[in-house]
């Protein structure tokens, strides 16, 4: 992991909308019917998008897939701060992906329409959930 990624909790929240035809709407308990901020819910007070923003061009034809949320005080002042699931869902990945990304949690959210979206939490100091686990809005993931 590079020094910049290792010094921040800044998470790459990459949300991709995938239109998926699902026969019946998901069970009420698993439906993502609302979303919240991933840090200091509900409004992420004390945090901002510093560094890379969503789909910002990184050079070489590569686009950054999310937003890096960092503490307003800069440096590693937010290191170790908890990160929360933005909505109800299922953890589809939770592992250390090494250099650049580090610890990542990927959560699939099923919307009331049956469509699916994902939230990705990267550069986490620790992982607090496991693959296959159901999470609820506001649950600590890292």
């Amino acid at each position: 992991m590079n020094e910049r990624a290792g010094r921040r909790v800044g998470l790459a929240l990459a949300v991709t909308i995938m239109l998926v035809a699902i026969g019946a709407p998901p069970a009420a308990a698993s439906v993502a019917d609302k979303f919240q901020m991933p840090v200091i819910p509900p409004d992420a007070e004390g945090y901002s998008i510093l560094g890379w923003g969503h789909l910002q061009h990184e050079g070489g034809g590569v686009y950054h897939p999310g937003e890096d949320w960092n503490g307003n005080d800069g440096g590693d002042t937010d290191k170790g701060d908890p990160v929360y699931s933005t909505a109800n869902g299922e953890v589809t990945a939770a592992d250390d992906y090494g250099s650049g990304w580090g610890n990542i949690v990927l959560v699939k959210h099923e919307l009331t329409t049956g469509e699916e979206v994902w939230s990705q939490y990267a550069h986490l100091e620790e992982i607090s959930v496991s693959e296959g686990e159901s999470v609820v809005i506001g649950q600590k993931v890292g």
Side-chain angles (χ1 to χ4, degrees):
M1 178 181 338
N2 67 35
E3 182 177 325
R4 179 175 175 223
R7 288 183 42 195
R8 61 185 157 85
V9 168
L11 59 129
L13 179 59
V15 178
T16 306
I17 297 176
M18 302 289 290
L19 300 177
V20 178
I22 298 178
S30 65
V31 171
D33 57 353
K34 62 182 176 180
F35 287 78
Q36 71 175 24
M37 295 295 193
V39 289
I40 308 181
D43 60 6
E45 184 176 339
Y47 279 79
S48 58
I49 301 169
L50 299 173
W52 296 105
H54 181 61
L55 295 181
Q56 183 176 350
H57 192 262
E58 293 184 20
V62 176
Y63 287 86
H64 192 259
E67 298 172 339
D68 285 348
W69 286 81
N70 293 284
N72 289 339
D73 293 332
D76 62 359
T77 58
D78 57 4
K79 185 175 181 180
D81 285 358
V83 177
Y84 304 96
S85 179
T86 60
N88 298 339
E90 180 184 340
V91 178
T92 59
D95 206 350
D96 182 349
Y97 286 85
S99 180
W101 289 98
N103 290 325
I104 293 178
V105 171
L106 182 65
V107 178
K108 177 177 75 171
H109 309 282
E110 294 186 34
L111 305 179
T112 56
T113 61
E115 297 170 331
E116 298 174 340
V117 297
W118 285 261
S119 57
Q120 176 177 290
Y121 312 89
H123 315 299
L124 299 170
E125 185 169 84
E126 66 180 20
I127 296 174
S128 303
V129 292
S130 300
E131 187 173 332
E133 182 177 340
S134 290
V135 293
V136 296
I137 188 170
Q139 181 177 336
K140 183 179 174 187
V141 297

